[in-house]
């Protein structure tokens, strides 16, 4: 999720830590400098919001396991996709898209929209959320290529004039 320094500070304080907001900012910046974390920005946001609310990912998915307490498998898949997209396209070319919808990743140079979920077909709510986000993104970028990365599902989903490609993470990583 996109997160601000204020929110991180609030989370730290709720755990009982006596820490100032500037210390949180310093620690995040140290982690970015040490290449423990990297961030991506919202493609649809104004410049101020891009800087204030990035999404942070771990360079090592193992570190994520220490912090992810809600749906860790899905968080690790998304983190893995972020690492691979940065490797393929460069950090300056990978964004998330949030403008009344949230799409996990958007690569404007390749016109690629990527959603990540552990399982798509077994839960109707997940299916609707992931598909509708990509279809709404298509209203902004009509020729966007839409991909959903999952743990083990592979399928092409044609909806009207849109083809959504569902790919297992391992197959996508081998491409």
């Amino acid at each position: 999720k996109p997160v601000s320094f204020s929110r991180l500070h609030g989370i730290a304080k709720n755990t009982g830590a006596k820490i100032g907001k500037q210390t949180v900012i310093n620690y995040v910046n140290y982690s970015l400098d040490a290449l423990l974390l990297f961030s991506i920005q919202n493609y649809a946001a104004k410049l101020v919001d891009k800087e204030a609310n990035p999404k942070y990912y771990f360079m090592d998915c193992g570190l994520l396991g220490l912090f992810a307490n809600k749906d860790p498998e899905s968080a690790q898949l998304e983190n893995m996709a972020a690492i691979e997209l940065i490797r393929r396209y460069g950090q300056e070319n990978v964004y998330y898209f949030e403008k009344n919808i949230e799409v996990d990743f958007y690569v404007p140079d390749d016109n690629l929209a990527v959603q990540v979920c552990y399982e798509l077909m077994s839960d109707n709510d997940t299916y609707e959320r992931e598909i509708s986000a990509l279809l709404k993104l298509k209203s902004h970028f009509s020729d966007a290529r839409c991909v959903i990365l999952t743990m083990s599902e592979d399928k092409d989903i044609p909806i009207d004039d849109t083809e959504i490609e569902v790919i297992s993470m391992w197959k996508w990583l081998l491409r």
Side-chain angles (χ1 to χ4, degrees):
K1 297 267 180 219
V3 65
S4 66
F5 289 128
S6 296
R7 184 163 178 240
L8 286 174
H9 178 245
I11 291 168
K13 284 183 71 171
N14 286 340
T15 65
K18 294 181 180 175
I19 189 169
K21 185 176 175 183
Q22 187 58 49
T23 303
V24 170
I25 293 169
N26 290 343
Y27 283 166
V28 169
N29 286 329
Y30 297 152
S31 297
L32 290 166
D33 289 344
L35 302 178
L36 295 173
L37 295 176
F38 64 93
S39 64
I40 62 171
Q41 298 175 334
N42 183 359
Y43 186 77
K46 296 176 184 172
L47 182 61
V48 172
D49 292 332
K50 283 183 182 186
E51 295 298 323
N53 294 304
K55 277 179 146 181
Y56 292 99
Y57 292 94
F58 289 91
M59 282 297 226
D60 181 342
C61 289
L63 290 173
L64 176 62
L66 298 172
F67 299 100
N69 56 3
K70 182 183 174 192
D71 200 10
E73 294 89 3
S74 193
Q76 287 182 330
L77 274 180
E78 184 173 335
N79 200 92
M80 193 180 319
I83 292 168
E84 181 62 16
L85 286 166
I86 295 297
R87 187 191 70 75
R88 289 181 186 184
Y89 298 102
Q91 187 170 354
E92 65 282 355
N93 297 314
V94 178
Y95 300 87
Y96 70 95
F97 186 92
E98 187 172 343
K99 188 174 184 178
N100 300 323
I101 54 159
E102 184 181 339
V103 175
D104 294 330
F105 304 103
Y106 180 64
V107 182
D109 290 349
D110 205 26
N111 211 8
L112 173 66
V114 178
Q115 288 285 79
V116 181
C117 64
Y118 193 79
E119 291 180 321
L120 180 68
M121 307 309 277
S122 64
D123 180 16
N124 197 42
D125 290 340
T126 301
Y127 181 88
E128 290 297 320
R129 181 183 66 244
E130 304 296 338
I131 297 291
S132 67
L134 290 172
L135 292 175
K136 287 179 184 174
L137 179 106
K138 291 278 283 186
S139 68
H140 296 281
F141 309 105
S142 60
D143 57 342
R145 194 172 105 234
C146 298
V147 173
I148 299 176
L149 300 174
T150 67
M151 183 62 180
S152 60
E153 297 167 329
D154 295 291
K155 183 177 185 159
D156 288 335
I157 302 172
I159 299 175
D160 298 328
D161 62 342
T162 301
E163 182 82 19
I164 298 175
E165 189 178 0
V166 180
I167 311 169
S168 326
M169 180 66 80
W170 70 270
K171 287 182 181 176
W172 179 73
L173 289 169
L174 292 174
R175 286 184 170 185

